[in-house]
Amino acid sequence: MLYPTKPAFRFLLLLSIAFVFSCKNTPQKSSETADGNTKKPNILFVISDDQSYPHTSAYGYKAVSTPAFDRVAREGILFNNAFSASPGCSPSRAAILTGKNCWQVREAGTHASTFPADLTTYPEILARAGYLVGSTNKGWGPGKVVGREDNPAGKAYNSRKLESPKEMSDNDYASNFEEFLAARSGDQPFCFWFGAAEPHRRYPTGIGVKTGLKPDQVKVPGFLPDVPEVRTDMLDYIYEIQWYDSHLDRMLKSLAAKGELENTLVVVTSDNGMPFPRAKANCYEYGIHMPLAIMWGNKIKGGRTVDDLVSLIDMAPTFLQAAGVDAPETIGMAGKNLMTILTSDKSGLIDKSRQAVFSSRERHSSSRWNNLGYPQRAMRTADYLYIWNVQPERWPAGDPQKFEDDGKLGPMHGGYHDIDDFDESVLNTRRDDPAISRYFHLAVDKRPEVELYDIKKDPYCLNNLAGESAYRATREKLGNQLMAYLKKTNDPRMSPEGEKTYESYIRYSPIRTFPEPK
């Protein structure tokens, strides 16, 4: 082979060779989707607001009828062990959007603060890849979006309204979805976030019974008293689940009529647990265990039920993998994509590497002196739930008393604002009733630093095993695993400055005033 003898020619040749090799070794954005096709799949992500795991008819809960959720489960996969990254809506949704744990997204990992402009979300990545991105009703929030033109979930389509019962959303979700689809260019793939307002409180009182739902079909969880007031309250909650499910039904039928459903990855879940004491805003099972069903035409085998532990932070990497889009390595998503499960033809346990999922909370409402939060970290395995209450000296549901508008200290038990509408709850109004008192104290009393529950024997998290000698080895093992994961993922709570960091985050929702603890 002849080589140029002049230095300038030799330099140009070496530069050309280097350029060719750099192009071959530089990661490129994939044009193939997860199944090897070049046509990008549509993505429809559906998330209710405050719905716990068992409350769909696909899971066998008799009091509710959810035909749309059931269709997704029947034609796709029903997940028995899906968990949110937080028992509160704002941090849970931030974790879904970023594919990260709540402690990895700074202000967005606590309630009603900000969503930092430098956090990258999966809708942003898909938009850069040519997707039309949009949302209806509740995207990320509550909180203040900074440095973005739209909500992190996507441009809002909320103009279509309808008549609805008092205290329920008047957004015509399905019609807003149609408006979004009309904005597409040709066969442009879409990514749409349907954030239902239901079944968040408040409820139209008695609407469940008025519309024919049956109190005797309600299964009251063991941390609530089985009394008529709780059953009818749960029926109102169930009615709202059915309300939002009817809009999902319209969306699925619309996609089918347009010939788009086969190429649409549909995910249906919730952000956190039911808005009842010891559920929402708590890292107990009914606060973090979520409904989840996924369908994707014939890309995944339907009619399956999966028992693997999955986290909602797995959604972001799953969507990107399905679309054949590489996330920048600098993002550092903690979620693990679900393709191994989706492309399997098996039921039961599929991915043996999924040994645990994690959840957390910081501030939920403004419920304590100086706006202090109630930090928790939790790890869920197939058998156990381990909870670390970082500041056990604080009231988990919020301080019992608050200052009234006149500046005077209000009555005892007039606080507890980490529980939605607790002043009207039968647990509070009848707290001195011997039949109710136990449940009141379960909801509001201070808790030990460590809690450990055998989920298979105690799904309602009533029997704390952390102090029992027979479970000492289990407690130590799980505690060490949790701490190792928190350190690995740079949780600020692993630093002496962690408390200062979290309490420095501004809250943009109304601030209540509580007395300084003695």
Side-chain angles (χ1 to χ4, degrees):
M1 182 176 181
L2 298 177
Y3 291 89
T5 56
K6 292 184 178 182
F9 285 108
R10 190 178 298 114
F11 173 78
L12 289 174
L13 177 62
L14 292 173
L15 188 63
S16 300
I17 293 171
F19 177 76
V20 170
F21 274 95
S22 69
C23 290
K24 288 183 178 181
N25 292 297
T26 300
Q28 302 292 315
K29 183 174 70 176
S30 172
S31 61
E32 283 195 351
T33 60
D35 63 349
N37 293 327
T38 56
K39 186 177 181 181
K40 304 288 188 183
N42 305 314
I43 296 169
L44 175 59
F45 180 69
V46 182
I47 181 168
S48 62
D49 197 353
D50 300 358
Q51 179 184 0
S52 292
Y53 154 74
H55 300 141
T56 72
S57 42
Y59 289 119
Y61 196 83
K62 295 181 179 180
V64 68
S65 176
T66 52
F69 181 92
D70 298 357
R71 177 182 180 180
V72 176
R74 182 176 63 253
E75 298 182 18
I77 304 172
L78 182 66
F79 288 80
N80 282 331
N81 287 300
F83 293 84
S84 64
S86 175
C89 58
S90 189
S92 171
R93 290 165 186 255
I96 292 168
L97 286 162
T98 60
K100 294 184 177 185
N101 295 293
C102 296
W103 58 82
Q104 295 177 304
V105 293
R106 307 196 306 280
E107 291 94 334
T110 192
H111 197 266
S113 189
T114 62
F115 197 101
D118 62 337
L119 290 180
T120 302
T121 67
Y122 78 79
E124 290 175 321
I125 297 172
L126 292 176
R128 290 196 291 266
Y131 273 71
L132 178 66
V133 172
S135 66
T136 190
N137 206 69
K138 187 174 181 179
W140 173 78
K144 183 177 181 180
V145 177
V146 294
R148 283 178 167 85
E149 184 177 347
D150 298 309
N151 187 282
K155 179 182 177 180
Y157 288 80
N158 292 322
S159 64
R160 308 294 177 88
K161 304 294 182 181
L162 42 67
E163 293 293 328
S164 64
K166 185 180 179 182
E167 295 170 347
M168 289 181 64
S169 172
D170 65 350
N171 256 343
D172 189 342
Y173 306 131
S175 293
N176 288 321
F177 181 52
E178 293 294 329
E179 183 180 356
F180 164 79
L181 292 177
R184 285 200 301 167
S185 175
D187 60 354
Q188 180 183 17
F190 70 79
C191 170
F192 192 77
W193 173 295
F194 166 24
E198 297 79 25
H200 193 290
R201 291 186 185 271
R202 300 174 57 101
Y203 303 141
T205 303
I207 196 169
V209 172
K210 291 175 185 176
T211 55
L213 299 180
K214 306 297 183 184
D216 61 346
Q217 292 183 330
V218 172
K219 183 178 181 180
V220 178
F223 51 84
L224 296 174
D226 190 352
V227 294
E229 294 95 328
V230 171
R231 284 182 173 265
T232 55
D233 193 24
M234 287 192 65
L235 284 184
D236 295 345
Y237 155 82
I238 286 166
Y239 175 85
E240 291 213 346
I241 293 173
Q242 297 185 165
W243 169 273
Y244 110 79
D245 187 80
S246 69
H247 287 263
L248 172 59
D249 181 62
R250 289 167 57 194
M251 291 180 182
L252 296 178
K253 289 177 178 176
S254 174
L255 289 173
K258 292 178 171 64
E260 295 277 10
L261 187 57
E262 184 71 20
N263 190 44
T264 301
L265 174 58
V266 182
V267 175
V268 190
T269 187
S270 183
D271 55 0
N272 54 254
M274 59 194 290
F276 286 74
R278 214 172 161 89
K280 178 182 178 179
N282 291 269
C283 283
Y284 296 129
E285 193 76 352
Y286 272 65
I288 62 174
H289 196 165
M290 298 294 98
L292 177 64
I294 300 178
M295 66 182 289
W296 188 9
N298 61 11
K299 307 293 192 308
I300 59 176
K301 181 181 178 182
R304 293 187 288 141
T305 300
V306 168
D307 296 324
D308 293 59
L309 293 163
V310 303
S311 171
L312 296 190
I313 68 172
D314 298 334
M315 295 300 115
T318 298
F319 295 154
L320 299 181
Q321 180 74 11
V325 176
D326 294 330
E329 292 184 3
T330 54
I331 294 177
M333 289 185 178
K336 180 180 178 182
N337 83 68
L338 297 170
M339 282 303 162
T340 299
I341 295 173
L342 299 186
T343 57
S344 173
D345 60 358
K346 299 177 181 178
S347 289
L349 290 172
I350 298 171
D351 185 349
K352 295 182 179 180
S353 70
R354 294 178 173 273
Q355 296 295 308
V357 290
F358 303 87
S359 190
S360 69
R361 69 156 280 183
E362 288 291 335
R363 180 178 60 231
H364 180 70
S365 184
S366 172
S367 298
R368 292 164 199 87
W369 173 80
N370 210 25
N371 200 34
L372 295 175
Y374 189 79
Q376 294 181 298
R377 300 292 184 267
M379 182 174 76
R380 173 67 151 77
T381 68
D383 298 315
Y384 294 99
L385 174 64
Y386 181 100
I387 301 173
W388 174 33
N389 296 311
V390 184
Q391 301 286 358
E393 73 279 4
R394 297 177 187 170
W395 295 95
D399 285 358
Q401 291 174 282
K402 65 180 179 180
F403 286 108
E404 305 291 0
D405 293 339
D406 59 6
K408 295 180 180 179
L409 189 60
M412 191 67 175
H413 309 304
Y416 307 125
H417 284 293
D418 273 354
I419 305 176
D420 290 3
D421 296 334
F422 192 58
D423 55 337
E424 300 175 2
S425 170
V426 66
L427 270 68
N428 200 6
T429 60
R430 291 173 53 192
R431 60 183 174 271
D432 295 327
D433 184 334
I436 304 295
S437 178
R438 171 175 176 259
Y439 302 98
F440 168 78
H441 289 289
L442 279 172
V444 305
D445 284 2
K446 292 181 180 180
R447 299 165 186 171
E449 183 177 2
V450 175
E451 297 178 78
L452 175 66
Y453 299 97
D454 183 332
I455 289 302
K456 292 184 176 179
K457 296 179 180 178
D458 182 21
Y460 302 129
C461 302
L462 299 174
N463 183 24
N464 182 15
L465 304 172
E468 297 190 13
S469 58
Y471 289 87
R472 183 179 302 162
T474 300
R475 168 182 169 165
E476 291 180 356
K477 177 184 176 181
L478 296 180
N480 290 336
Q481 289 178 355
L482 174 61
M483 295 304 164
Y485 183 77
L486 298 180
K487 291 177 182 177
K488 177 184 175 182
T489 54
N490 299 314
D491 187 342
R493 286 289 175 188
M494 294 294 96
S495 164
E497 298 296 310
E499 175 74 7
K500 182 179 178 181
T501 297
Y502 276 107
E503 298 306 338
S504 70
Y505 295 149
I506 298 173
R507 176 182 171 85
Y508 287 96
S509 291
I511 301 293
R512 303 180 182 95
T513 307
F514 292 86
E516 183 174 358
K518 298 179 181 179

